[in-house]
Amino acid sequence: MSDSGIHRVVVVGGGFGGLQAVQKLRSAPVEVTLIDRRNFHLFQPLTYQVATGALSPGEIAYPLRAIFKRARNVRVLLAELSDVDLDARTVHLRSVGEVPAPGSVAYDTLIVAGGSSYSYFGHDDWREFAAEVKSLESAMTVRSQILSAFEAAEAEADPEPRAAWLTFAVVGAGPTGVEMAGQIGELARDTLRLDFDAVDPRTGRILLIETADRVLTSFPPSLSAKAQRSLERLGVTLLLRSTVVGVDAESVSIADGAGNTQRIPTRTVIWAAGVTASTLGARLGELTGAEVDRAGRIAVESDLTLPGHPEVFALGDMVRVRGADGAPVTLPGVAPVAMQQGRYAARVVRARLASEQAPPFHYHDKGNLATIGRGAAVADIKGLHLSGFLAWITWLVVHLWYLVGFENRVLVFTRWGFSFITRGRGARLITGVADDKTSHEV
């Protein structure tokens, strides 16, 4: 307890799970400290739209302090978790950049929502050449890389290097990979088709590489087939039953089921295949003896707490939840799971304060959504299968609903409406290019 006798809750991570936990505790008789190494909440399902110039970074991110500015019991800290002392009930912090951070913060209840990152399946050296779009910074890097590729193709006279610049390889045909490939297809065939003189962006190749035999394997086969047809209409070439075996600065190498290897010249590879849990999962497993799987996910009890430590909750992509039979269950790595777990953890805290018992966590699957392009999407909502324009409208409404901040909702809705009418993209900026000159010479 704090000096005032109020229960102290520390929430690590301002993503979907952590944000929902804090939202549900803002009116509770507790002191909440939210710790994140970013000062904003990122609406991660739309980072790929930043990567393709459809949206600007500020339209899918919202400052954490602005979200909780009227919550008197919530404190926001810009810091990074370095370790946890479970016996002393203290988290140890380190500074982010030059921003000083307290060395430690004490807690009565700890909620850890560390999230995940993309897994390169033991080939971390590929990360340098195959960027991902899970963070805002990486999405902006990919945006500059894609747009720079078209600029380089315009300036390249030799057909072979030009073809390499105009080849875009997306690895992984889950929702992010499918959405990314579709957006690049629209960018090349609609938005940029009249922007260049020496090159026609519509001649570019968009490759979607997937180990499985179909795209969107978490969807029913009928919707996968419809998504595949929509991708092909956008000029996307599907390389199914293909595994990436090499990535470098100038190519991607793939192997088919028969073991035949093909090297494809390309200067742009985007990674959207598989995830690995935050390293916090492994650390908490080490401290508690909890089971940790190959993807780094820690097994938590049915109430999302760590074994032997009911005061510590872990949630989101970094956990597996034990079911009624005691076996850990891997839930989908999607935002609704983290959001429901964050709300549940807050309910358990409130129940304990009232000396009440909370039931085990149960995930309510509301369905899957994926958009392929303009007016094209697929939706699997509790057995109801939608595709085409109706599924696309459903996708728009759901994403606008969960986007944080009224201003952002208005901006994104306006941007999407304008893009739908004009086929344009207003955020086609190449950023992050170093310039040693201090003057503005032209």
Side-chain angles (χ1 to χ4, degrees):
M1 295 285 184
S2 66
D3 294 339
S4 60
I6 297 179
H7 193 88
R8 299 165 300 184
V9 180
V10 171
V11 179
V12 179
F16 287 107
L19 189 71
Q20 288 296 314
V22 179
Q23 291 276 27
K24 293 298 180 181
L25 291 171
R26 62 194 304 173
S27 60
V30 297
E31 292 179 352
V32 182
T33 301
L34 173 59
I35 301 169
D36 199 286
R37 60 191 182 92
R38 298 286 184 267
N39 75 330
F40 56 84
H41 166 75
L42 176 65
F43 193 76
Q44 205 170 77
L46 293 179
T47 52
Y48 76 94
Q49 294 215 357
V50 172
T52 52
L55 295 175
S56 294
E59 293 166 353
I60 66 167
Y62 204 82
L64 291 170
R65 293 189 182 277
I67 297 173
F68 299 111
K69 62 184 178 183
R70 291 187 175 87
R72 295 184 177 275
N73 68 328
V74 177
R75 176 175 66 144
V76 177
L77 277 181
L78 182 66
E80 191 168 10
L81 183 70
S82 61
D83 205 355
V84 181
D85 188 333
L86 295 176
D87 294 328
R89 296 195 178 186
T90 301
V91 294
H92 298 285
L93 307 177
R94 55 172 168 257
S95 299
V96 175
E98 298 181 357
V99 178
S104 62
V105 176
Y107 65 83
D108 298 303
T109 295
L110 175 63
I111 301 175
V112 181
S116 63
S117 60
Y118 278 110
S119 170
Y120 288 77
F121 306 112
H123 298 278
D124 285 344
D125 53 311
W126 294 354
R127 192 181 299 270
E128 179 183 356
F129 311 110
E132 42 84 14
V133 292
K134 203 170 181 65
S135 70
L136 195 59
E137 293 84 356
S138 61
M140 293 174 67
T141 297
V142 170
R143 182 184 67 183
S144 294
Q145 188 176 1
I146 292 172
L147 295 173
S148 295
F150 286 106
E151 295 289 344
E154 172 78 359
E156 179 60 65
D158 192 323
E160 286 191 12
R162 174 184 284 182
W165 282 113
L166 288 177
T167 299
F168 304 90
V170 180
V171 183
T176 299
V178 165
E179 291 167 345
M180 192 74 205
Q183 287 287 301
I184 297 174
E186 285 196 340
L187 182 68
R189 281 152 181 77
D190 290 338
T191 307
L192 300 179
R193 63 188 182 90
L194 300 178
D195 283 17
F196 296 91
D197 299 318
V199 68
D200 183 355
R202 293 174 294 182
T203 63
R205 298 175 67 203
I206 300 101
L207 309 177
L208 184 57
I209 305 167
E210 170 59 43
T211 303
D213 61 354
R214 63 187 177 96
V215 303
L216 299 176
T217 55
S218 60
F219 285 72
S222 60
L223 292 181
S224 293
K226 290 178 179 179
Q228 179 170 335
R229 289 194 292 270
S230 295
L231 286 166
E232 290 169 346
R233 282 195 293 269
L234 286 169
V236 177
T237 300
L238 275 69
L239 299 178
L240 303 177
R241 301 184 183 87
S242 299
T243 303
V244 174
V245 295
V247 184
D248 57 40
E250 298 182 348
S251 68
V252 59
S253 297
I254 61 174
D256 59 21
N260 301 313
T261 302
Q262 177 185 6
R263 180 181 180 274
I264 303 172
T266 176
R267 304 300 292 268
T268 306
V269 180
I270 300 163
W271 195 268
V275 296
T276 183
S278 164
T279 55
L280 289 177
R283 178 56 178 160
L284 291 174
E286 179 184 338
L287 292 171
T288 62
E291 180 184 344
V292 178
D293 69 5
R294 293 178 61 185
R297 293 180 292 251
I298 185 173
V300 296
E301 304 297 341
S302 59
D303 61 355
L304 305 184
T305 61
L306 296 184
H309 289 273
E311 77 282 359
V312 182
F313 295 82
L315 47 90
D317 293 349
M318 61 180 288
V319 306
R320 293 183 299 157
V321 184
R322 294 195 183 277
D325 60 355
V329 177
T330 301
L331 296 172
V334 293
V337 172
M339 294 171 72
Q340 291 182 32
Q341 290 180 341
R343 290 193 290 266
Y344 172 83
R347 284 198 299 271
V348 174
V349 172
R350 297 181 74 120
R352 289 176 178 175
L353 292 174
S355 299
E356 297 174 355
Q357 189 74 23
F361 172 76
H362 176 70
Y363 171 56
H364 299 280
D365 189 354
K366 298 180 180 179
N368 287 326
L369 294 166
T371 181
I372 296 96
R374 183 176 181 269
V378 290
D380 176 21
I381 305 173
K382 294 186 175 181
L384 177 63
H385 299 171
L386 303 175
S387 61
F389 188 77
L390 182 58
W392 185 69
I393 291 295
T394 303
W395 181 91
L396 292 180
V397 171
V398 168
H399 283 70
L400 284 173
W401 176 262
Y402 286 112
L403 194 61
V404 175
F406 176 77
E407 180 184 355
N408 279 7
R409 292 191 187 110
V410 172
L411 289 172
V412 171
F413 178 76
T414 303
R415 183 69 67 98
W416 280 344
F418 182 80
S419 296
F420 182 80
I421 295 170
T422 66
R423 300 178 183 265
R425 293 165 187 262
R428 304 196 312 270
L429 306 179
I430 299 174
T431 58
V433 179
D435 187 356
D436 295 332
K437 294 184 178 181
T438 57
S439 66
H440 297 282
E441 296 177 353
V442 295

